[in-house]
Amino acid sequence: MAQGYAGTILHVNLTRGKTWVEEPTDAFYRRYLGGQGFVGYYLLKNVPKGADPLGPENVLIFATGTITGIPVAGAGRSCVGAKSPLTDGYGQADVGGFFGAELKQAGYDAVVVYGRAAKPVYLWIHDGEVEIRSAEHLWGKTTLDTQEAIQSELDDTRVRLAMIGPGGEKLVRYACVINDLRHAAGRSGLGAVMGAKNLKAVAARGKASIPLANPDQVRELGKWMRDHWKEKSWGMYDLGTNGGLLDLSEIGALPTRNFQDGRFEGAEKITGTTMRDTILKGREGCYACPIRCKRVVEINDEEYQVNPIYGGAEYETVGAFGSNCGVDDLRAISKAHELCNAYSLDTISAGMAVAFAMECYENGLLTKEDTGGLDLSFGNAAAMVEITRQICEREGLGDLLAEGPRRAAAKIGPGAEMFVIDVKGQPFPMHECRTRHGQALGYAVSPTGADHMHNFWDASMDREPLGEDLQSLGVYEPVPQTELNADKVRAYTFVTNWQWVHNHLGHCMFIPWSRDQIVDLVRGITGWNTNLWELLKVAERGVTMARVFNMREGLSRADDVLPPRMRMPFVTETINEKPVDPEVLDENLSTFYGMMGWDPETGRPTRAKLQELDIEWADAQLD
Amino acid sequence: MAQGYAGTILHVNLTRGKTWVEEPTDAFYRRYLGGQGFVGYYLLKNVPKGADPLGPENVLIFATGTITGIPVAGAGRSCVGAKSPLTDGYGQADVGGFFGAELKQAGYDAVVVYGRAAKPVYLWIHDGEVEIRSAEHLWGKTTLDTQEAIQSELDDTRVRLAMIGPGGEKLVRYACVINDLRHAAGRSGLGAVMGAKNLKAVAARGKASIPLANPDQVRELGKWMRDHWKEKSWGMYDLGTNGGLLDLSEIGALPTRNFQDGRFEGAEKITGTTMRDTILKGREGCYACPIRCKRVVEINDEEYQVNPIYGGAEYETVGAFGSNCGVDDLRAISKAHELCNAYSLDTISAGMAVAFAMECYENGLLTKEDTGGLDLSFGNAAAMVEITRQICEREGLGDLLAEGPRRAAAKIGPGAEMFVIDVKGQPFPMHECRTRHGQALGYAVSPTGADHMHNFWDASMDREPLGEDLQSLGVYEPVPQTELNADKVRAYTFVTNWQWVHNHLGHCMFIPWSRDQIVDLVRGITGWNTNLWELLKVAERGVTMARVFNMREGLSRADDVLPPRMRMPFVTETINEKPVDPEVLDENLSTFYGMMGWDPETGRPTRAKLQELDIEWADAQLD
């Protein structure tokens, strides 16, 4: 068993063109683990208070997790973080693909980027070495062209890239970071932070094998999953993440026409089944994963050409550009998806920006004069694609929508704010919360704004029989799905804390490992005799660091609220639907804060909680 | 796998002569587990605020834990609880032996006793049946005579008893409950509560096998321990709990002459080794345990006759009647031990009462007039035995000392309070805290007053290398043993929470199970897919219920303090010794309260913490 587990973190100052290496202690790794833990730590330590997210003071972190790059299913994920240009607070996005594993094999657990390059650059990290190289010739290029150019000049087609397209360069506030053309660190606008730093890409290539304290243990777990994944994850292989869209529409929980409705009449046309039976050309997965939940589509007809190199739309993308824009044409949705991957836009926020514009248009707040003649009615597939392209290029109305619905509404004028469906400036993902009030709380308190990658609540958790996975997190009796009370808040607090664990580990939530197996994986990798309690304590530390960061940057209880639409019923009545009463939500905010060890009034993490989490140093940040 | 895990709890109202049965839900068991969890629950629910501990309103609980009675090593423990006549607050004592296992096999996980019988009674619980039987003929009898009489009248020598001798009948405030003659639920004065209820004994006999969700898993764990206990616990077999007394004296941490010193010149004469080589006649263990750490001694000489039926002195007893009274005669110590077991006195508190009296005597606060001619100088072995006998009988000075040092000092007059070494009225066990300030905090915040059965801090936890057991509870760097700061408080909080788990499970801390194995045991017994996190959450709930009870009964921050002696150095200087600064302790109290989710000023559990722990009902108790 290894005496200590510790790796290496790369720091890069783009302003000065300097790089240096940090070798933290075993205890540092045990406290922060990786991924989100590193993001929270380096943001709090290194971003000055009040920094402009698009200025040189912001810090951009690419962080792998403990499991990232280990040869087991689900180990393909990593994390990107920075102060968000969308929320002006804690920004974090988790992403699959191959880049994270490659970065670790290239010798680094994380890259922390400071400053701003005078001219476009990219980082070339290989076998422990790092170079800051010119990217002037790449500026303006799509992700595909960028990847081809870099792989060609480095003469290695196995170089993996985290990069931006023109959307990031043009500082679209919800630009994302694209890994390997098909995997997006979508939320929080981190692609714009890359753009603002003149950082076109991080290229990684490494042949080092990641040291394992107990290789046999890890190998056995990997083998177990190879033998067992089909039992639980076949549906994910067959239909991707979009297998349940029709069901969602049927129970009235499918975001439709900018969250006006929960049912979409065209749902059947855009499901995973329809995709499989029409445009699907292949299935792909992330590093070491057999499940292959990612789609590859190809379209070559008169109206739409879609290049399979960019993969295919996941559920979030289909919802955002499809039902949520009233669009039932998978080809148009796929085209919008391709644009977003080529230009590096978050498909969720982009689709939500389009839907916002459509509702403004239908209500006369935007006219054909504003849209350059486009008929932005809900359901107009071609217009949806065109306005998405304009956002990518910041052309015409797209320039305004590139700022995100909240900032756009402020410019469009009174009334438009009613059509903004976001929290803290980050648009909703494709998960209704009026049908499950646990998710309402989740959106309100997520440090990144409305986000489903760590503050997710599924209505199945509100129903008997409660699985052992829930019970062993202290959820012994379900609470009706449209109720919010202390019992629901408790369940939410414990369950989401477990979700945060994944984002520290660099591990995909879709993989049907048991919690015991995940603990065993971490043991096998690190040599620590760790346990679930310790991992959950790390996650609590991570969430609390994010909260400290947000409060330091001026976010407060007043930002932990839902948009006006959540107070209203759906246009078409559905079952299990109840508007979210802001007063009830507000009461439960206090409960949540208190349960987290934060001040029940303000949500400020108490000094005692920071001490308990061994991050008392963060207390001074809130003076 | 069983759908649900739930047993049966017996309630007995002695005033009305009524019994009834409760069958709680699986969720109830999951929330409170057993042992201490049941004590906290039933005390809060059923003892009226301000109840006289020796009045009929007090409630007395005999509770087994989840593991109690399972055929694996360490499963012999159970718990007794009531409002303590010693502290007027939360009273709890854990005990080994056979009674707990027998009670469970007789059909009940716990017995909750209300009211007061008009005349002495005992309970006879067998195979799911219960009888309240007269004990008038047993009143005044020693535990041995009581056991013989009851086994004889029930015609079954395998009846197991939790009982009191005359010490409990006479309401000695630190009377204990004796199981099977040789095992004491020692602390908190619970034997006096039995006496006050006119309850002489609880007799149990059952042949039911305890249902196991996964018998194979439990069997395998049992087998593992049978094969492995010697590797780690041979010393405990060989020398008992008293194997380390000489080492303690050498490092200056052996309570000597009422905690005036840390070294005892006669230490070698009273160690486990000396006992083994002189008076030891046998070794015994608890239910299903191969380790046999308990001693059996026999003495037949002119001065002392000691009956082996009462076992033999453990470390605590040897320290209390030995070094702490300046006595280096194992025969006298063994005689005092026999008296305590026959009369049902806590050997720790009894020894501490004697040492208190000796220091008063040496300082002229007690004279030969008070002692009836006895020379109560430290080191007088015969006087130590005689005054112990007087306490047992409440004769002469013994009647005053039977009230405990704190109450006795108030009657003896000014100056005597300086010789009281207790917290909340409960005398210190034989663990110095000036040499390890983690224990200083432990004594101050223990809900039962100075106690080592759940708020224990060992100096080895302050030194490199920190074991994986500590690290996996978030203790990554040691803090010097005489320092108290937030890092130490955090470590203390997490480590003692794990200790509390044992008292919920009815499981002995001496058994070298790993945490994983204990979790597996609970899984095998209950069928729950539980985990360490869930068990620690239950423990946190238990500690917090105890805190609520104490605050409800009027205990406050002002009671979380150490006696004056802890501010002073030892008479003889020793290494690693530092008086405990009350201001430093007080600062760290705030930290501890905060880390527990209690108000940092008052130590009142916050409503949010009670909600998080799913015991919001307890909030109203603090209005």
Side-chain angles (χ1 to χ4, degrees):
Chain A
M1 214 56 100
Q3 243 305 338
Y5 164 85
T8 306
I9 290 172
L10 176 65
H11 294 262
V12 178
N13 186 316
L14 293 175
T15 306
R16 300 188 194 162
K18 292 251 163 103
T19 68
W20 67 99
V21 159
E22 179 188 8
E23 294 184 339
T25 62
D26 180 82
F28 177 88
Y29 275 85
R30 233 168 148 152
R31 277 195 195 93
Y32 303 107
L33 270 180
Q36 168 190 343
F38 288 169
V39 168
Y41 179 83
Y42 288 110
L43 287 188
L44 276 176
K45 289 278 187 179
N46 296 335
V47 176
K49 181 175 176 171
D52 177 0
L54 299 177
E57 290 180 331
N58 202 357
V59 174
L60 180 68
I61 300 132
F62 299 84
T64 68
T66 317
I67 295 179
T68 313
I70 304 304
V72 298
R77 293 186 74 79
S78 61
C79 196
V80 187
K83 183 172 177 180
S84 165
L86 208 49
T87 69
D88 284 319
Y90 180 85
Q92 179 199 316
D94 299 90
V95 55
F98 298 82
F99 170 78
E102 198 74 36
L103 177 63
K104 209 187 237 185
Q105 285 158 355
Y108 298 106
D109 292 328
V111 186
V112 187
V113 183
Y114 309 82
R116 178 180 191 275
K119 293 178 177 178
V121 297
Y122 73 94
L123 300 181
W124 168 221
I125 299 167
H126 52 104
D127 303 313
E129 302 291 308
V130 55
E131 292 171 55
I132 304 175
R133 294 173 66 109
S134 170
E136 286 186 79
H137 57 300
L138 304 172
W139 212 245
K141 282 193 193 302
T142 62
T143 52
L144 176 58
D145 291 346
T146 302
Q147 175 169 299
E148 285 179 351
I150 290 179
Q151 289 181 339
S152 163
E153 72 187 56
L154 298 177
D155 196 21
D156 188 345
T157 55
R158 297 174 70 183
V159 167
R160 300 291 187 175
L161 293 159
M163 59 191 156
I164 55 171
E169 297 170 15
K170 291 171 198 276
L171 309 181
V172 175
R173 281 193 189 265
Y174 42 88
C176 66
V177 178
I178 292 283
N179 287 5
D180 322 317
L181 304 181
R182 289 178 287 276
H183 308 277
R187 311 312 308 276
S188 297
L190 303 169
V193 178
M194 271 186 92
K197 292 194 172 303
N198 268 327
L199 179 63
K200 181 69 177 174
V202 181
R205 180 79 179 98
K207 299 169 204 86
S209 71
I210 298 164
L212 300 174
N214 189 341
D216 289 344
Q217 189 177 15
V218 174
R219 224 177 346 253
E220 242 173 71
L221 284 159
K223 182 178 178 319
W224 185 93
M225 184 53 71
R226 282 194 302 280
D227 293 343
H228 288 86
W229 70 269
K230 284 185 185 170
E231 293 162 16
K232 288 195 177 175
S233 302
W234 176 258
M236 203 61 100
Y237 168 82
D238 188 31
L239 300 176
T241 57
N242 196 20
L245 184 140
L246 191 59
D247 291 341
L248 279 178
S249 181
E250 277 171 6
I251 63 168
L254 178 67
T256 299
R257 284 180 284 275
N258 203 31
F259 280 81
Q260 294 181 82
D261 256 332
R263 293 181 181 205
F264 179 47
E265 63 286 356
E268 201 158 355
K269 295 188 186 169
I270 61 173
T271 62
T273 308
T274 303
M275 183 187 278
R276 181 194 64 191
D277 298 342
T278 58
I279 59 176
L280 193 75
K281 292 296 167 219
R283 296 173 172 89
E284 289 203 335
C286 300
Y287 171 84
C289 186
I291 298 181
R292 302 173 83 71
C293 72
K294 307 260 179 159
R295 309 290 91 178
V296 180
V297 305
E298 184 169 10
I299 302 172
N300 279 302
D301 64 21
E302 273 178 36
E303 276 174 282
Y304 296 106
Q305 290 78 46
V306 172
N307 186 344
I309 194 88
Y310 286 112
E314 297 190 83
Y315 164 71
E316 298 294 332
T317 310
V318 172
F321 288 120
S323 57
N324 199 50
C325 289
V327 168
D328 63 4
D329 184 342
L330 266 182
R331 299 172 309 152
I333 293 165
S334 299
K335 188 68 197 176
H337 170 260
E338 181 198 65
L339 281 166
C340 287
N341 278 21
Y343 282 76
S344 74
L345 294 200
D346 171 23
T347 57
I348 296 172
S349 291
M352 285 293 284
V354 174
F356 160 78
M358 284 175 160
E359 196 169 1
C360 287
Y361 180 84
E362 292 206 342
N363 285 274
L365 296 173
L366 288 175
T367 64
K368 282 210 168 152
E369 203 172 318
D370 301 305
T371 67
L374 267 185
D375 170 14
L376 269 189
S377 300
F378 281 115
N380 186 338
M384 178 276 284
V385 173
E386 171 56 16
I387 193 70
T388 300
R389 191 196 62 75
Q390 289 181 17
I391 296 171
C392 288
E393 296 281 9
R394 273 196 180 261
E395 265 180 42
L397 180 63
D399 189 41
L400 177 65
L401 296 176
E403 292 293 297
R406 184 178 287 216
R407 286 176 173 84
K411 292 205 177 152
I412 290 168
E417 75 282 359
M418 297 303 290
F419 309 142
V420 177
I421 318 296
D422 74 4
V423 174
K424 301 181 177 64
Q426 174 125 283
F428 273 37
M430 295 301 110
H431 303 278
E432 183 53 67
C433 70
R434 283 165 290 184
T435 54
R436 38 179 155 141
H437 288 197
Q439 187 60 66
L441 177 68
Y443 284 152
V445 302
S446 161
T448 57
D451 200 330
H452 65 295
M453 289 305 293
H454 42 246
N455 286 50
F456 187 66
W457 187 261
D458 190 276
S460 70
M461 301 194 277
D462 296 321
R463 286 193 291 266
E464 295 277 14
L466 291 169
E468 268 296 331
D469 252 20
L470 278 174
Q471 295 196 56
S472 62
L473 285 181
V475 185
Y476 304 131
E477 286 118 6
V479 177
Q481 63 187 75
T482 54
E483 268 182 43
L484 203 50
N485 59 24
D487 292 331
K488 179 71 69 70
V489 176
R490 180 187 324 107
Y492 170 83
T493 303
F494 295 161
V495 166
T496 55
N497 205 24
W498 172 242
Q499 291 174 8
W500 289 96
V501 170
H502 289 85
N503 297 345
H504 283 78
L505 295 176
H507 180 260
C508 179
M509 293 187 225
F510 290 165
I511 313 297
W513 295 114
S514 69
R515 288 204 194 99
D516 281 358
Q517 287 174 313
I518 290 178
V519 169
D520 280 344
L521 258 182
V522 178
R523 290 176 175 179
I525 294 164
T526 60
W528 305 329
N529 185 29
T530 188
N531 53 53
L532 181 64
W533 180 89
E534 191 182 18
L535 297 184
L536 285 166
K537 194 53 76 179
V538 172
E540 205 187 330
R541 186 175 292 123
V543 187
T544 299
M545 287 194 292
R547 179 79 191 178
V548 171
F549 187 83
N550 274 342
M551 295 204 75
R552 189 191 80 173
E553 297 306 312
L555 292 166
S556 72
R557 181 179 190 130
D559 298 292
D560 293 349
V561 292
L562 295 184
R565 176 141 297 156
M566 295 304 117
R567 293 174 219 157
M568 304 172 192
F570 293 118
V571 171
T572 318
E573 198 183 320
T574 64
I575 50 167
N576 281 321
E577 164 209 345
K578 193 169 106 185
V580 180
D581 181 333
E583 283 184 31
V584 172
L585 178 61
D586 192 60
E587 276 166 33
N588 284 280
L589 268 191
S590 299
T591 309
F592 173 75
Y593 294 160
M595 287 190 187
M596 291 297 294
W598 304 347
D599 183 278
E601 292 305 312
T602 64
R604 182 205 196 276
T606 62
R607 181 159 171 253
K609 174 51 77 174
L610 297 173
Q611 288 175 316
E612 190 227 302
L613 294 173
D614 208 357
I615 48 171
E616 191 178 358
W617 53 265
D619 194 55
Q621 305 233 356
L622 292 172
D623 285 344
Chain B
M1 213 56 102
Q3 244 305 338
Y5 164 85
T8 306
I9 290 171
L10 176 64
H11 295 261
V12 177
N13 186 318
L14 293 177
T15 306
R16 299 191 195 162
K18 291 252 162 105
T19 68
W20 67 100
V21 158
E22 179 188 8
E23 294 185 338
T25 62
D26 180 81
F28 177 87
Y29 276 84
R30 233 169 149 150
R31 277 195 194 93
Y32 302 105
L33 270 180
Q36 168 188 345
F38 287 170
V39 169
Y41 179 82
Y42 288 110
L43 287 188
L44 276 176
K45 289 278 186 180
N46 295 337
V47 176
K49 181 174 176 172
D52 176 0
L54 298 178
E57 290 180 332
N58 201 357
V59 174
L60 180 68
I61 300 133
F62 298 85
T64 69
T66 318
I67 294 179
T68 312
I70 302 305
V72 298
R77 293 186 72 80
S78 62
C79 196
V80 187
K83 184 173 177 180
S84 165
L86 208 48
T87 69
D88 283 320
Y90 180 84
Q92 180 199 316
D94 299 89
V95 56
F98 297 82
F99 170 77
E102 198 73 36
L103 177 64
K104 208 187 239 185
Q105 286 158 354
Y108 297 106
D109 292 329
V111 185
V112 187
V113 183
Y114 310 82
R116 178 180 191 277
K119 294 178 177 179
V121 296
Y122 73 92
L123 299 181
W124 168 222
I125 300 167
H126 53 106
D127 303 314
E129 303 292 308
V130 56
E131 291 171 56
I132 303 175
R133 294 172 66 109
S134 170
E136 286 186 78
H137 56 302
L138 304 172
W139 212 245
K141 284 194 193 299
T142 62
T143 51
L144 175 58
D145 291 345
T146 303
Q147 176 169 300
E148 284 179 353
I150 290 180
Q151 288 182 341
S152 162
E153 72 187 55
L154 297 176
D155 196 23
D156 187 345
T157 54
R158 297 174 72 183
V159 168
R160 300 292 187 175
L161 292 160
M163 60 192 155
I164 54 172
E169 296 170 16
K170 291 171 196 278
L171 311 182
V172 174
R173 281 192 189 266
Y174 43 87
C176 66
V177 178
I178 292 283
N179 287 6
D180 322 317
L181 304 183
R182 289 178 287 277
H183 307 276
R187 312 312 309 275
S188 295
L190 303 169
V193 178
M194 272 186 91
K197 292 193 173 303
N198 269 328
L199 179 64
K200 180 69 177 175
V202 181
R205 180 78 179 99
K207 299 170 203 85
S209 71
I210 298 163
L212 300 173
N214 190 341
D216 289 344
Q217 190 177 14
V218 174
R219 224 176 346 253
E220 242 174 70
L221 284 159
K223 182 179 178 319
W224 185 93
M225 185 53 70
R226 281 195 302 280
D227 294 343
H228 289 85
W229 71 268
K230 286 186 184 170
E231 294 162 16
K232 289 195 176 173
S233 301
W234 176 258
M236 203 62 102
Y237 168 82
D238 188 32
L239 301 176
T241 56
N242 195 20
L245 184 141
L246 191 59
D247 291 342
L248 279 178
S249 181
E250 277 171 6
I251 63 168
L254 177 67
T256 300
R257 286 181 283 272
N258 203 30
F259 280 81
Q260 293 181 82
D261 256 333
R263 292 179 182 207
F264 180 47
E265 62 285 355
E268 202 158 354
K269 295 188 188 170
I270 60 173
T271 61
T273 307
T274 303
M275 183 186 281
R276 182 194 63 192
D277 298 343
T278 58
I279 59 175
L280 193 73
K281 294 295 165 220
R283 297 174 171 89
E284 289 203 335
C286 300
Y287 172 84
C289 186
I291 297 181
R292 303 173 82 71
C293 72
K294 308 260 179 159
R295 309 290 91 180
V296 179
V297 305
E298 184 170 9
I299 302 174
N300 279 304
D301 62 24
E302 274 180 33
E303 277 176 281
Y304 297 105
Q305 291 78 44
V306 172
N307 186 343
I309 195 88
Y310 285 113
E314 297 189 82
Y315 165 69
E316 297 294 332
T317 310
V318 172
F321 288 119
S323 58
N324 199 50
C325 289
V327 168
D328 63 4
D329 184 341
L330 266 182
R331 299 172 310 152
I333 294 166
S334 299
K335 188 68 198 175
H337 170 261
E338 181 199 64
L339 280 167
C340 288
N341 278 21
Y343 281 78
S344 75
L345 294 200
D346 172 23
T347 57
I348 297 173
S349 290
M352 287 292 285
V354 174
F356 161 78
M358 285 177 160
E359 196 169 2
C360 286
Y361 181 83
E362 293 207 342
N363 285 275
L365 296 174
L366 288 176
T367 64
K368 281 209 169 153
E369 202 172 319
D370 301 306
T371 66
L374 267 186
D375 170 15
L376 269 189
S377 299
F378 282 115
N380 187 339
M384 178 276 285
V385 173
E386 171 56 18
I387 193 71
T388 300
R389 190 195 63 74
Q390 290 181 15
I391 296 171
C392 287
E393 295 282 10
R394 272 196 183 261
E395 263 180 43
L397 181 63
D399 189 41
L400 177 66
L401 296 176
E403 292 293 296
R406 183 178 288 216
R407 287 177 173 84
K411 294 206 174 148
I412 291 169
E417 75 281 0
M418 297 305 288
F419 308 143
V420 177
I421 318 295
D422 75 2
V423 174
K424 301 180 177 66
Q426 173 124 286
F428 273 37
M430 294 302 110
H431 303 278
E432 183 52 68
C433 70
R434 283 166 290 185
T435 54
R436 37 178 155 140
H437 288 196
Q439 187 60 66
L441 178 68
Y443 285 153
V445 303
S446 160
T448 56
D451 200 331
H452 67 294
M453 288 306 292
H454 43 246
N455 285 51
F456 187 68
W457 186 261
D458 190 276
S460 70
M461 301 193 277
D462 295 321
R463 287 193 290 267
E464 296 277 13
L466 292 168
E468 268 296 332
D469 251 22
L470 278 174
Q471 295 196 56
S472 63
L473 285 181
V475 186
Y476 304 132
E477 287 117 7
V479 177
Q481 63 187 73
T482 54
E483 269 182 44
L484 201 51
N485 58 24
D487 292 331
K488 179 71 67 71
V489 176
R490 180 188 322 107
Y492 170 82
T493 304
F494 295 161
V495 166
T496 54
N497 206 24
W498 172 243
Q499 292 173 9
W500 290 97
V501 170
H502 289 84
N503 297 345
H504 284 79
L505 295 177
H507 179 261
C508 179
M509 293 187 223
F510 290 166
I511 313 298
W513 296 114
S514 70
R515 289 205 193 98
D516 281 359
Q517 287 174 315
I518 289 178
V519 169
D520 281 344
L521 258 181
V522 178
R523 288 175 176 180
I525 294 164
T526 61
W528 305 330
N529 185 29
T530 189
N531 53 54
L532 180 64
W533 180 89
E534 192 182 16
L535 297 184
L536 285 167
K537 194 53 77 179
V538 173
E540 205 187 331
R541 187 175 292 124
V543 187
T544 299
M545 286 194 294
R547 180 80 192 176
V548 170
F549 186 82
N550 273 341
M551 296 204 74
R552 191 191 79 174
E553 298 306 311
L555 292 167
S556 72
R557 181 179 190 131
D559 298 291
D560 293 348
V561 292
L562 295 183
R565 176 142 297 157
M566 295 304 116
R567 293 174 218 156
M568 304 172 191
F570 293 119
V571 171
T572 319
E573 197 181 320
T574 63
I575 51 169
N576 281 321
E577 164 209 345
K578 194 170 105 186
V580 181
D581 181 335
E583 282 184 31
V584 172
L585 178 61
D586 192 60
E587 275 166 35
N588 283 281
L589 268 190
S590 300
T591 308
F592 173 74
Y593 294 160
M595 286 190 187
M596 290 298 295
W598 306 346
D599 183 278
E601 293 305 312
T602 64
R604 181 204 196 277
T606 62
R607 180 158 172 252
K609 174 49 78 175
L610 297 174
Q611 288 175 317
E612 192 227 301
L613 294 174
D614 209 356
I615 48 172
E616 191 178 357
W617 54 264
D619 194 55
Q621 305 233 355
L622 293 172
D623 284 346

